[in-house]
Amino acid sequence: MLLRENTPLLPYNTFGLEAQAAHFIEIQSVAELNQALQSGIRPVFILGGGSNILLTQDMPGLVVRNRIRGISVVRRFKNRVWVRVGGGEVWHDFVQWAVSQDFGGVENMSLIPGSVGAAPVQNIGAYGVELKDVFVNLEAVDLATGRARQFSRPACHFGYRDSFFKREGKGRYCITSVTFSLSTRQHRLNTSYGDIHKTLENMGVQHPTLAAISEAVIRIRSSKLPDPAVIGNCGSFFKNPETDRAVLERIQKTHPNAPHYPLPDGRVKIPAGWLIEQCGWKGKRVGNTGSYEKQALVLVNYGGATGQEVKALALAIIESVEKSFGVRLEAEVNMI
Ligand code: EPU
């Protein structure tokens, strides 16, 4: 375990932004985390895959990169298994492992960037499935006391791209492992969302398997979303706003075909990508940053962008969408 000073964070954030950590450490175990906490250096910031943060300045204190690995089946039931996964595992590696074991439940979330420990923080989701649907519990270390604690599903207060760890628990815990419940037979396949069905058809698949669905999701994501290894980004920058029906009806007066999804409580979700595109931002470049040409919801770094530059663009987009539609977008990405 090596504590480094003035460490560039460029390799550790998928936006590819330059910022320095005053102190930086990679931990492979809970014991190493506790050792790092004993250094007394504060504040402590836990870094996962770096795929949901916008670094707008250098980081004081101690940045801890969670590299706690390990995937193991901890319980077997008739039709399910519980699998415990280290918080430092790469999310997609875990998905691929599950698919290779024919364990079902996470295949629709293939290729989501980031780490397993970061996944519950924003309750990641894609193509009709959310992390909370397969979640059993997690273990986290309280950064103030160094004590380990287990969180059940209700304790996590999961919502749409939201949890306890983005609110009251923000910055207070390091998630060291997450336990998932996956199906071992009679998988409940979810192929109705968006383009999955069509993509499976194009692949010539008549009887979808977990592997086929995973492959379809990978194809769809790769065709729409920029690869962070090639062009810096953090996936969706904003959440899809949830509004009252009256807001949608007002928008429909000028945009009768506005896409929207009904919510169980009678409100509606409007795709932020659509709102941003209507305001003329899609594919527009501002300095070294911009809104991605194939998916307006994704902000990108064309190379050499600063966090301040991306933040300024995000604020300009929020303002412009609010002015045109009376809807205030909220960032999904954590702006530091
Ligand atoms: N749309 C536009 N213009 C755009 C982008 C989208 O008009 O530039 C419209 C599309 O035509 C479609 C609707 O918006 O009618 C929805 O678009 P899409 O299916 O691409 O999904 P999204 O709502 O933009 C959400 C998630 C993604 C997830 C996809 C698929 C959020 C904030 N984003 O995007 O998650 O992969 O659905 O399930 O909920 C992420 O969180 O980082 C992420 C990529």
Side-chain angles (χ1 to χ4, degrees):
M1 204 176 63
L2 185 68
L3 186 75
R4 290 189 271 157
E5 280 179 29
N6 301 326
T7 306
L9 294 174
L10 185 86
Y12 307 119
N13 74 97
T14 64
F15 240 122
L17 300 169
E18 303 218 23
Q20 284 212 340
H23 299 87
F24 179 85
I25 200 160
E26 292 196 317
I27 53 130
Q28 316 265 0
S29 65
V30 175
E32 285 190 356
L33 171 62
N34 276 314
Q35 247 176 289
L37 294 177
Q38 275 158 24
S39 71
I41 303 168
R42 298 292 184 271
V44 175
F45 181 80
I46 305 293
L47 190 63
S51 61
N52 207 45
I53 50 163
L54 180 74
L55 297 168
T56 59
Q57 57 176 60
D58 288 342
M59 302 292 284
L62 179 62
V63 173
V64 176
R65 184 160 186 248
N66 181 352
R67 301 274 282 160
I68 301 173
R69 313 298 295 267
I71 304 182
S72 51
V73 174
V74 289
R75 282 183 78 168
R76 287 182 188 275
F77 303 90
K78 195 162 154 245
N79 297 325
R80 311 198 68 78
V81 281
W82 281 8
V83 179
R84 184 163 66 214
V85 188
E89 287 283 348
V90 172
W91 172 263
H92 183 62
D93 290 351
F94 160 56
V95 172
Q96 282 185 309
W97 175 87
V99 169
S100 75
Q101 305 291 310
D102 204 37
F103 292 166
V106 286
E107 57 286 350
N108 290 46
M109 295 185 280
S110 294
L111 215 60
I112 294 185
S115 66
V116 167
V121 176
Q122 57 154 342
N123 182 25
I124 61 168
Y127 304 101
V129 180
E130 284 182 337
L131 173 122
K132 73 165 169 42
D133 304 330
V134 288
F135 179 90
V136 178
N137 60 39
L138 64 77
E139 281 189 0
V141 168
D142 184 327
L143 300 176
T145 63
R147 255 183 248 130
R149 184 185 151 186
Q150 198 181 73
F151 285 80
S152 64
R153 179 155 47 168
C156 291
H157 301 161
F158 289 124
Y160 164 60
R161 293 294 191 279
D162 197 28
S163 79
F164 168 82
F165 300 99
K166 264 180 115 167
R167 297 178 179 272
E168 305 91 310
K170 187 168 177 171
R172 287 171 46 200
Y173 295 91
C174 175
I175 297 175
T176 51
S177 74
V178 184
T179 300
F180 300 93
S181 174
L182 304 175
S183 58
T184 51
R185 60 176 111 167
Q186 295 162 4
H187 303 302
R188 277 180 42 202
L189 304 181
N190 202 322
T191 58
S192 56
Y193 191 96
D195 290 339
I196 294 195
H197 193 73
K198 204 171 75 201
T199 306
L200 286 168
E201 247 174 42
N202 293 344
M203 286 162 58
V205 173
Q206 271 157 5
H207 305 286
T209 57
L210 301 178
I213 293 175
S214 174
E215 175 59 26
V217 169
I218 289 172
R219 287 191 188 191
I220 299 168
R221 288 189 75 99
S222 318
S223 72
K224 282 206 235 185
L225 300 171
D227 177 355
V230 181
I231 181 163
N233 76 92
C234 274
S236 301
F237 196 93
F238 303 98
K239 292 192 202 183
N240 286 332
E242 302 180 334
T243 73
D244 288 335
R245 219 158 227 294
V247 174
L248 173 70
E249 282 162 10
R250 200 179 61 226
I251 294 173
Q252 282 172 326
K253 285 193 185 131
T254 47
H255 301 79
N257 298 324
H260 57 277
Y261 315 104
L263 294 167
D265 62 2
R267 287 154 54 90
V268 288
K269 196 184 266 186
I270 306 178
W274 181 83
L275 293 166
I276 296 167
E277 180 173 353
Q278 298 309 306
C279 293
W281 291 101
K282 190 174 185 171
K284 190 165 167 178
R285 181 170 173 160
V286 184
N288 292 325
T289 179
S291 154
Y292 190 54
E293 57 185 352
K294 294 187 207 159
Q295 165 54 289
L297 189 51
V298 178
L299 303 189
V300 295
N301 174 6
Y302 288 108
T306 63
Q308 290 295 347
E309 214 178 347
V310 180
K311 187 177 171 186
L313 173 68
L315 295 177
I317 290 175
I318 290 173
E319 208 170 287
S320 129
V321 168
E322 187 163 29
K323 209 164 143 212
S324 302
F325 293 105
V327 175
R328 192 158 177 88
L329 295 182
E330 204 184 305
E332 184 197 287
V333 168
N334 190 4
M335 295 198 237
I336 310 284

